[in-house]
Amino acid sequence: MTRQSGKQQIAMGKNPERSRDHNRRVVLDVVRMHGSLGRMHIAKLTHLTAQAVANIVDELVSEQLLMEIGRLRSGRGQPPIQFAVNPDGAVTIGVEIAADHMVTTVLDLSGKVRSETIMPVENTSPEHIVPLFAGEVKKVHKRFPSKLLGIGVVMPGPFEIEGMSSVGPTTLPGWSSINPAAVLSEASGETVIVENDANAAAVGERLFGAGRAISSFCMIYFGVGVGLGLIHDGAPFRGAFGNAGEIGHVVVAPRGKPCPCGQRGCLERYASLHALKEKLAEAGYENADFAAIEVLHREGNPVVKEWIAETADYLSPMVAMLENVLDPETVILGGALPDAVIDEIVAAMQTLPVSVASRRTRALPRVIRGQTGQLTAALGAAALPLFEAVTPKLDISPTAAADNAA
């Protein structure tokens, strides 16, 4: 169950003892959102009893997940003790396994990035990546001996779809026939959560970026390909098989460019980082990386300009379709492109097709740029176990839904 507090939704606690794990997440989440709070303020915001909050706060302090930061001097009487998330209480590790690189990140409990490394990878087969992954996790965990909440791993989707999952330059060949979470968990000796890169990026934006105060949004994510992450009522929407939001293989140009998936005219063949690099290579700019694209854009390179205009043309009807189907508060654009490039794409999409989002009064523009930057998927990977640990599940049971409807 949730309620509105300003622009943010706050999950309310459940007082029965059977909901203790949920209540712990509720308390951690409300303290994380507000920076610091006293016990009575936590109880008021979460609708938990004062005794329940006292017990949970004491438990979280003993586990070093919360810490006392002194008393709040205001009003009469004994000032209340304030509690904040203890950034040194725990860490999460995030790993992005992409078509040409592997990124490893470490987040502390407050969401601060403690470490970030990028490793070029030529061979992305399981036989090569699994021992590399295990070695990186061991190395990072040795540097950060705090409690490890878990490991998040992101890979480009879609998962287990014949003809899409193992072909083409935006995929990871060899992974479609194995369970990556099980294989990577066994290799590292830790619990591993696996997510597609777009959904992980949306989680990162929800926790630390443009989506912090937005409970339902779509995120169009530029990886090597292009994908869609969905946040609904504060939680990621994955679909039945983890492939919700696979917009990269939506046909936008019938009889257009051939795609490795077997279709022609897929969105990914036009509005993706891979498509931009193809255009640049044809113009003589081989192996253009992030920094090179940033420079080319700053210099007004005509190839980059042309790709931005084309991308905006193809994404505009896609945004309107997403709005009509999902009715999000906004659509966020982000990923492995320089901020200035994404800003220009957003600017070029100002004349969007009419949709259910075409309201005169809006709290947010229909399309905005994300705030988590170039490595948003890796940040999202590290955010996944943090999300599981400190964010309450916002979906309500049928019984609760019936109670609300009464």
Side-chain angles (χ1 to χ4, degrees):
M1 181 180 291
T2 65
R3 67 185 180 84
Q4 290 290 132
S5 174
K7 293 183 178 179
Q8 292 180 318
Q9 278 195 326
I10 295 174
M12 289 190 288
K14 303 174 183 178
N15 280 300
E17 186 63 30
R18 62 185 172 82
S19 301
R20 189 167 188 81
D21 285 345
H22 171 82
N23 292 344
R24 281 168 56 96
R25 291 190 180 99
V26 167
V27 171
L28 274 171
D29 193 46
V30 76
V31 173
R32 181 185 66 84
M33 284 195 299
H34 287 78
S36 65
L37 291 171
R39 291 186 181 91
M40 293 306 295
H41 199 174
I42 295 171
K44 180 180 178 181
L45 289 171
T46 61
H47 287 205
L48 288 166
T49 66
Q51 186 58 55
V53 167
N55 291 341
I56 291 171
V57 167
D58 288 347
E59 185 178 288
L60 293 173
V61 169
S62 71
E63 295 174 15
Q64 298 186 343
L65 299 180
L66 290 181
M67 61 182 181
E68 293 186 16
I69 60 170
R71 295 182 181 273
L72 179 65
R73 302 284 177 185
S74 64
R76 298 180 180 179
Q78 178 77 340
I81 298 173
Q82 300 292 291
F83 296 90
V85 168
N86 177 11
D88 297 319
V91 298
T92 62
I93 297 175
V95 179
E96 178 193 10
I97 302 173
D100 58 359
H101 67 272
M102 187 168 81
V103 182
T104 306
T105 59
V106 177
L107 291 182
D108 65 26
L109 199 56
S110 71
K112 181 180 177 182
V113 178
R114 293 291 189 93
S115 173
E116 201 170 69
T117 59
I118 305 174
M119 178 187 302
V121 175
E122 293 184 5
N123 182 353
T124 57
S125 68
E127 294 77 14
H128 181 74
I129 288 293
V130 170
L132 196 63
F133 165 83
E136 281 296 295
V137 167
K138 184 177 180 181
K139 188 189 307 180
V140 168
H141 201 188
K142 188 174 181 180
R143 287 179 55 205
F144 299 93
S146 301
K147 178 180 178 180
L148 179 62
L149 291 180
I151 301 170
V153 171
V154 298
M155 298 174 161
F159 296 137
E160 300 179 12
I161 305 297
E162 188 171 348
M164 286 188 184
S165 301
S166 58
V167 294
T170 66
T171 60
L172 300 180
W175 287 86
S176 59
S177 61
I178 66 175
N179 182 334
V183 169
L184 296 173
S185 294
E186 182 178 358
S188 63
E190 303 286 348
T191 301
V192 173
I193 302 170
V194 175
E195 185 58 270
N196 74 54
D197 49 8
N199 274 346
V203 168
E205 284 292 337
R206 168 62 176 160
L207 286 179
F208 311 116
R212 288 190 68 174
I214 308 173
S215 62
S216 294
F217 64 86
C218 298
M219 181 172 184
I220 294 177
Y221 172 71
F222 294 99
V224 178
V226 61
L228 177 72
L230 303 170
I231 297 292
H232 177 68
D233 281 347
F237 178 78
R238 298 180 172 91
F241 304 100
N243 291 318
E246 184 47 59
I247 62 171
H249 294 285
V250 172
V251 175
V252 295
R255 297 176 298 280
K257 295 179 182 179
C259 182
C261 76
Q263 302 184 109
R264 299 185 73 92
C266 290
L267 178 65
E268 190 171 277
R269 296 295 290 119
Y270 304 93
S272 69
L273 179 59
H274 177 70
L276 172 58
K277 288 185 175 182
E278 270 190 336
K279 281 181 171 291
L280 288 171
E282 289 170 3
Y285 301 97
E286 296 286 346
N287 302 316
D289 59 11
F290 183 92
I293 292 170
E294 194 168 34
V295 170
L296 289 170
H297 176 259
R298 188 164 58 243
E299 294 174 346
N301 181 272
V303 176
V304 176
K305 292 284 187 182
E306 180 187 14
W307 176 82
I308 288 173
E310 186 174 53
T311 294
D313 286 344
Y314 283 115
L315 288 185
S316 290
M318 181 64 66
V319 166
M321 183 185 73
L322 294 173
E323 291 169 336
N324 284 332
V325 174
L326 300 168
D327 194 24
E329 294 176 60
T330 190
V331 176
I332 299 173
L333 263 59
L337 285 169
D339 285 349
V341 172
I342 297 176
D343 282 339
E344 192 165 333
I345 295 172
V346 173
M349 295 170 64
Q350 290 306 303
T351 307
L352 291 163
V354 174
S355 77
V356 298
S358 303
R359 298 182 299 273
R360 290 183 180 179
T361 304
R362 292 184 55 88
L364 293 165
R366 289 171 66 181
V367 182
I368 61 176
R369 172 171 58 80
Q371 297 174 358
T372 49
Q374 173 193 5
L375 301 175
T376 183
L379 177 64
L384 288 169
L386 185 63
F387 192 94
E388 292 294 322
V390 308
T391 303
K393 309 307 178 197
L394 299 179
D395 50 320
I396 58 177
S397 67
T399 302
D403 290 344
N404 287 341

